[in-house]
Amino acid sequence: MRKNTLLQGVTIPRHIAIIMDGNGRWAKKRMMPRSFGHKNGMERMIGLMEHAFDLGVQYITVYALSTENLKRPKEELDGLFNLFRNNFRKELQKIFERGVRLRTLGDLSLLPDDVMQGLRESEKDTEHYEGRGINIAVAYGARDEIIHAVNKAIENGEKVTEESFSKLLYTSDLPDPDLIIRTGKEVRLSNFLLYQAAYAELYFSNKMFPEFSDKELDKAIIDFSNRTRRFGKTDEQLT
Ligand code: IPE
Ligand code: IPE
Ligand code: MG
C-alpha cells in the first residue's frame, strides 16, 4: 500500500529501528516542560509507525527508555511511566488493530510493577499476530542484553554460535535492523542494538523527535535505498 509516489521504486527496509532523541530540547525551545516533549514524542511515534506500515515496513523498533535513562530525575521518570500507564496502550490500539504484534526489548523488572504488567499484557494480547511487529526497547541497554545472553549461554553449558547467540538476545526471533535512524542531532548509538547493528545502515537527523515528520522518514528511506550494502563483498560480487 504505497500512498507516497515519491517512494515509487524505492527499496523499503524490512526492519527500521529509531533512536527517538530530542524530546526534551524540543519542549525546552517552546518553554514547556520535558514531559510535554515526551508526550508529543509518543504521539509522533504512533504516527511514524502507521506511516512505516503503510509503506510496507515489516518491523519497527523504537528506543523509548535506556538503562542509563533510569538514572534521570524521579520527576521525569514518573512522567514517562505515566505515559506508559495512561497513553501508550490506548494510542497503540490503532496499530494493534492492523494485526501488529508488540514485543518489548529490555529488562522490564527495572520498571514499576504496573508498567511492566501493562506491557506484558499488550505483548500477550498481540502474540498471535504474525508478520508485522513493533518492538519497544524500554529499560533497554545493549550491554545489559549481551551480558544477559552470555549468562544464559553459561547456564545452558553450551558453546554458542552466531545463530544460537542471537536467539539469547532480547531480539531473539527478529531479523537485524536494516536501517537505524537517530533524531536529535547526536551522532552516536547510546547503547542501542550494539550486536544487531553490525550491518545496519545508519541515518542521523538534525530534527528533534517530535518534529520528525512522515516526510523525514521518507527522506531517510530514500537515502537508505541509494546505499550499496556490500556486506564485505566487492561491487563485482554483488552483480
Ligand atoms: C529522548 O529524548 C527520549 C528519552 C530518552 C526518554 P530526550 O529526553 O533525551 O531529549 P533531549 O535529548 O534531552 O532533547
Ligand atoms: C538515547 O537518548 C536513548 C533513547 C532515545 C531512549 P539519550 O538522550 O539518553 O542519549 P544520550 O544520553 O544523549 O547519549
Ligand atoms: Mg537525549
Side-chain angles (χ1 to χ4, degrees):
M1 208 206 310
R2 307 235 169 126
K3 287 193 294 202
N4 192 325
T5 47
L6 255 184
L7 292 180
Q8 288 292 340
V10 159
T11 307
I12 301 295
R14 180 175 177 208
H15 182 178
I16 299 182
I18 309 180
I19 302 172
M20 309 185 290
D21 194 21
N23 293 347
R25 280 163 287 160
W26 179 86
K28 193 173 174 191
K29 213 174 134 189
R30 285 159 182 76
M31 301 202 289
M32 295 297 280
R34 294 179 64 82
S35 59
F36 180 72
H38 293 316
K39 183 163 181 291
N40 278 270
M42 187 175 286
E43 283 161 13
R44 187 76 287 263
M45 175 188 88
I46 310 284
L48 282 175
M49 286 173 171
E50 295 194 285
H51 182 59
F53 286 129
D54 283 345
L55 295 175
V57 173
Q58 198 179 347
Y59 297 103
I60 304 158
T61 299
V62 290
Y63 201 7
L65 193 72
S66 70
T67 45
E68 288 74 19
N69 291 151
L70 291 168
K71 294 181 211 131
R72 287 195 180 184
K74 185 178 179 300
E75 191 193 339
E76 178 164 353
L77 288 176
D78 284 344
L80 281 165
F81 295 144
N82 280 335
L83 275 181
F84 276 103
R85 289 187 182 104
N86 305 327
N87 306 55
F88 183 79
R89 212 165 168 184
K90 206 166 55 206
E91 298 266 348
L92 274 177
Q93 270 321 314
K94 41 187 161 187
I95 305 285
F96 297 151
E97 277 161 19
R98 295 170 170 232
V100 172
R101 177 173 176 182
L102 173 84
R103 292 178 179 81
T104 57
L105 316 176
D107 181 355
L108 269 51
S109 72
L110 300 174
L111 300 173
D113 277 351
D114 62 330
V115 174
M116 177 176 82
Q117 292 304 338
L119 287 165
R120 288 271 177 257
E121 278 168 28
S122 298
E123 280 187 304
K124 205 138 196 24
D125 290 347
T126 60
E127 71 184 358
H128 55 287
Y129 293 136
E130 283 171 30
R132 298 189 294 182
I134 50 172
N135 315 301
I136 311 283
V138 54
Y140 173 88
R143 287 185 173 177
D144 168 72
E145 176 182 41
I146 292 166
I147 302 290
H148 260 93
V150 168
N151 284 328
K152 272 193 250 168
I154 293 170
E155 272 170 37
N156 296 345
E158 275 172 29
K159 277 197 174 175
V160 290
T161 60
E162 282 192 18
E163 202 182 330
S164 72
F165 191 69
S166 296
K167 298 248 177 314
L168 300 176
L169 297 170
Y170 294 135
T171 49
S172 55
D173 54 351
L174 295 169
D176 285 344
D178 300 294
L179 170 63
I180 297 181
I181 297 171
R182 181 177 188 138
T183 62
K185 270 194 183 140
E186 313 300 350
V187 184
R188 54 178 173 252
L189 289 175
S190 300
N191 204 11
F192 188 48
L193 300 179
L194 298 184
Y195 188 84
Q196 299 86 338
Y199 263 102
E201 296 297 328
L202 307 181
Y203 182 90
F204 297 94
S205 168
N206 288 338
K207 297 277 183 213
M208 299 296 126
F209 186 68
E211 64 193 8
F212 190 79
S213 62
D214 293 354
K215 274 237 164 62
E216 292 295 329
L217 181 66
D218 293 350
K219 267 164 63 183
I221 291 175
I222 291 167
D223 196 88
F224 166 86
S225 180
N226 287 329
R227 307 216 191 152
T228 306
R229 303 186 80 189
R230 294 190 191 79
F231 298 100
K233 296 183 178 169
T234 65
D235 280 331
E236 288 68 28
Q237 284 177 296
L238 297 180
T239 49

